[in-house]
């Protein structure tokens, strides 16, 4: 009887071992990375943005109509407050977002140089559903009261990231970050 119990314990231990797949419970580059873009457009009609934190990155491609130098409209909500109405695009349809984990640290040259960098990717999660929302406000010079740029706050709502490992990461609201564009 003892041998049978020992055999069951050993079999259970053997089959319960982790297979080594990488998983993440959350994607968080909100406090550690700034939103960047390349000086040369990557693709006509598309705005390409990214955030880098050492060997992790978030990559976002949206229609250029989402990040325009124009303040978003406002409307009155049910409580009588004036709230901004974001410009939107559907993820995995009009826009795309990827999370990547690399074997080593990367820089903006990974995305912006003509010759692509060859850094192996450990893990990738793609946004398979959700909405990109952009709220644009003016940046003002307080002395001259002139507009110096436009701040674009980028968030995702009801986003689902699916990894190459088959795992999902879900968010009701996911803050991608802010980027400021200059007055043209």
């Amino acid at each position: 009887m003892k041998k049978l119990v020992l055999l069951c314990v050993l079999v259970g231990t053997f089959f319960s071992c982790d297979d080594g797949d990488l998983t993440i419970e959350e994607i968080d580059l909100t406090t550690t990375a700034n939103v960047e873009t390349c000086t040369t457009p990557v693709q006509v009609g598309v705005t390409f943005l990214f955030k880098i934190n050492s060997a992790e990155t978030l990559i976002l491609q949206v229609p250029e109509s989402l990040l325009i130098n124009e303040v978003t409209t406002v409307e009155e909500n049910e409580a009588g407050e004036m709230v901004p109405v974001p410009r939107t695009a559907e993820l995995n349809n009009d826009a795309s977002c990827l999370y990547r984990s690399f074997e080593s640290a990367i820089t903006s040259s990974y995305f912006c140089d003509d010759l692509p960098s060859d850094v192996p990717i450990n893990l990738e999660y793609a946004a398979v559903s959700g909405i990109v929302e952009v709220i644009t406000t003016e940046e003002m010079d307080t002395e001259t009261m002139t507009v110096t740029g436009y701040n674009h706050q980028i968030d995702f709502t009801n986003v689902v990231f699916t990894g190459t490992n088959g795992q999902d990461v879900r968010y009701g609201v996911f803050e991608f970050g802010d980027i400021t564009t200059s007055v043209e």
Side-chain angles (χ1 to χ4, degrees), residues 7-103:
L7 180 61
C8 289
V9 169
L10 288 175
V11 168
T13 303
F14 177 74
F15 286 109
S16 68
C17 291
D18 185 14
D19 61 359
D21 285 346
L22 295 172
T23 60
I24 60 173
E25 293 180 15
E26 69 177 358
I27 296 171
D28 183 19
L29 279 84
T30 55
T31 59
T32 57
N34 295 320
V35 178
E36 300 178 55
T37 189
C38 300
T39 54
T40 305
V42 176
Q43 182 181 350
V44 175
V46 173
T47 301
F48 180 80
L49 305 167
F50 55 91
K51 295 174 75 170
I52 299 172
N53 180 20
S54 184
E56 294 179 290
T57 187
L58 272 173
I59 307 158
L60 177 63
Q61 291 185 3
V62 296
E64 64 184 11
S65 61
L66 233 54
L67 281 106
I68 57 174
N69 285 347
E70 184 178 302
V71 174
T72 49
T73 60
V74 293
E75 66 181 28
E76 190 173 341
N77 67 9
E78 295 154 0
E81 302 167 331
M82 298 304 284
V83 294
V85 178
R87 288 185 287 279
T88 63
E90 190 175 335
L91 284 163
N92 200 27
N93 198 15
D94 302 322
S96 64
C97 184
L98 296 172
Y99 163 86
R100 284 187 182 156
S101 172
F102 296 89
E103 281 189 13

